[in-house]
Every structure is written in C-alpha cells, then in structure tokens.
Amino acid sequence: MKRVGLLVGREQTFPESIINSINEKGNGEVVAEMVKIGGITLDEEKRYDVIIDRISHEIPYYRATLKRFALEGTYIINNPFWWSADDKFFNFALATKLGVAIPKTVLLPQHSYIKDITDESLRNLEFPIDWQGVVDHVGFPSFLKPFDGGGWKNVSKIHSLEELFTEYNASGTLCMTLQQGIEYDQFVRCYCVGKENVLIMPYDPSKPYLSGMQYVDVEDYLTPELHARVEQDVKTICTALGYDLNTVEF
C-alpha cells in the first residue's frame, strides 16, 4: 500500500479535497492523510511514499524533516533541496533570461544584521546606497518586499523616496527587493501541476488574503493570444525551477 501525506498551512479546502480524492481513487492501494510528526531521529524509517508540501517554506522544522524523509526515498512535492537554493530574486533573474516579462527589480542590502556582524564584516558593501540610482531604475509606484518567502508578508507599496526610507528602515534583518509597480488592467493567478497542466484564473489581489474572494469568475478574461502567452510562461518558469506544484501570478 502506498501512502501520501499532506503538509499544509492555513489552506481550508485543498487538503480535505485532495485527501478525499486520493482515497476514493486509490481503491485501498493508495491512501492519503495529514502528516503528523514530532521528534525526528537520524534513523527514522520511511513513513510516506509521497508528501505534498504546502507550508515548509515558513517552518524551518518542516524543511529539515522533509530533507530527512527524502533520504528514505520519499518523493517530496516540491523538492525540498531545490527550495533551499531558491529565492524570488534569483527566480526573477532566471525568468528574465528565459524571456518572461518581469518588472524592473533591485536587490538591496539588509538594513540591520545579527549581533556578531560588524563593520569589518561589511567592508564589501557600497555605502551609502545610491538610492537615487535605485529609484531612477525602478520608478514609483514600486513594491518593497523580501527577496524570498511568500504570503504577501512584509510587502509595502512605495510612492516616494521618503516612504522608501521609512519602510526600509523598519525592515530589520530582512533582505529586501524594490520592484517596479505595474498598474494592471488584468491580474491572473495560475496553478501549474506537473509542469504541464496550467489553470489560469482571474484574481483580485486587493481582496483580503485567503478570504476566498480573490478569485473572480469572468469568462474570456484574457484574449486567446494572451492566454497562450501566460500558459507558456507558466510552463517555462515551473520547468526551469523544477516545481511539480506551483502558482504563478501575472
């Protein structure tokens, strides 16, 4: 019997739906359940054949556990080793090289550092930052956000140099990017499964996160040409990053 485990965060509908679907179609040969873990030992035996991971990007314990499970032959969706090398800024740069349209983006040095980082540790940093050069490149409005992570956390919309200084000074030890703000007419969130199957959905990011109100039911939202372009760009990104399950927003 094959076992599938789900590691999830605040999602409400997805976990129960996919567990029920796998159990209904598995005919007893494949079963799915929520992962339950506590202390993990070095000689931990294999518990699952597949784990679908939706939350380890926020929980270091989960990330370490998944890499340990991978040593026993568990297939992790998505690859936890690649995730450790992954960040948004690298993804932006890679997508740009692959021909995907990405807003202008600048990676910024951290504002603050952990206790043992001294001036000597930072001798390679340009100081002060050429803030005018940064904003001349990116423009306003722009978005100040961490170079990794997700969930719309620690993201600020910036309209002036004064706002940029205020938000940057409050960013602490987070490494931030400043990205060109695109005033959009259409916004889509795209699910990609298996690097090939793409579902493009109209999306309203101004609605409360995880409220269920972000998804908008609009027929023929994109022209056929734009739909094809978005679908191909999603496949390009997910294939390049090796993601079995991913969402991409345009």
Side-chain angles (χ1 to χ4, degrees):
M1 182 176 65
K2 301 292 185 181
R3 296 169 63 85
V4 178
L6 265 76
L7 194 63
V8 301
R10 292 182 290 167
E11 297 167 307
Q12 298 299 318
T13 57
F14 173 76
E16 183 179 354
S17 297
I18 197 167
I19 286 174
N20 290 341
S21 179
I22 291 172
N23 287 334
E24 289 172 4
K25 298 176 181 179
N27 296 319
E29 298 180 4
V30 180
V31 297
E33 63 186 26
M34 296 287 281
V35 170
K36 291 292 184 183
I37 46 178
I40 303 298
T41 64
L42 294 178
D43 57 353
E44 196 78 26
E45 295 184 357
K46 183 176 179 180
R47 302 190 190 186
Y48 298 98
D49 296 278
V50 175
I51 291 178
I52 302 173
D53 169 31
R54 300 288 295 154
I55 189 60
S56 75
H57 57 281
E58 294 188 346
I59 312 293
Y61 164 70
Y62 287 162
R63 292 201 297 275
T65 296
L66 290 176
K67 287 187 282 188
R68 173 67 191 87
F69 283 178
L71 287 178
E72 302 305 322
T74 299
Y75 190 94
I76 314 293
I77 301 174
N78 289 297
N79 185 335
F81 294 97
W82 166 241
W83 189 94
S84 296
D86 180 16
D87 65 66
K88 287 181 178 179
F89 185 71
F90 172 77
N91 294 349
F92 296 149
L94 177 61
T96 299
K97 287 186 175 293
L98 294 173
V100 177
I102 300 293
K104 295 177 182 178
T105 307
V106 175
L107 180 68
L108 300 172
Q110 295 159 240
H111 176 272
S112 305
Y113 297 86
I114 60 175
K115 180 180 179 181
D116 291 333
I117 299 297
T118 68
D119 290 345
E120 290 184 344
S121 308
L122 304 173
R123 284 177 289 176
N124 295 98
L125 279 184
E126 175 186 295
F127 186 84
I129 298 172
D130 180 8
W131 287 109
Q132 191 60 53
V134 169
V135 300
D136 286 347
H137 178 73
V138 174
F140 294 122
S142 55
F143 288 94
L144 185 70
K145 56 186 178 181
F147 88 115
D148 61 358
W152 300 75
K153 290 186 288 294
N154 301 298
V155 177
S156 302
K157 191 171 185 178
I158 306 296
H159 299 87
S160 68
L161 195 57
E162 290 72 23
E163 284 188 9
L164 175 58
F165 289 152
T166 298
E167 296 299 331
Y168 175 76
N169 290 342
S171 63
T173 59
L174 294 174
C175 183
M176 308 295 283
T177 61
L178 188 69
Q179 187 169 75
Q180 176 187 11
I182 304 298
E183 300 296 338
Y184 56 87
D185 297 311
Q186 296 159 299
F187 196 107
V188 292
R189 184 173 174 88
C190 312
Y191 277 84
C192 186
V193 180
K195 307 181 185 71
E196 285 293 327
N197 303 288
V198 179
L199 176 63
I200 300 173
M201 295 168 290
Y203 191 82
D204 183 356
S206 69
K207 300 297 183 182
Y209 183 61
L210 291 180
S211 67
M213 298 186 293
Q214 302 104 318
Y215 294 99
V216 184
D217 187 11
V218 180
E219 293 186 9
D220 302 322
Y221 186 60
L222 303 180
T223 65
E225 294 78 14
L226 187 54
H227 189 284
R229 169 70 187 274
V230 169
E231 183 176 39
Q232 184 56 52
D233 283 353
V234 171
K235 292 179 181 179
T236 297
I237 290 171
C238 293
T239 298
L241 297 177
Y243 282 145
D244 298 299
L245 181 65
N246 194 25
T247 56
V248 182
E249 295 171 357
F250 289 98

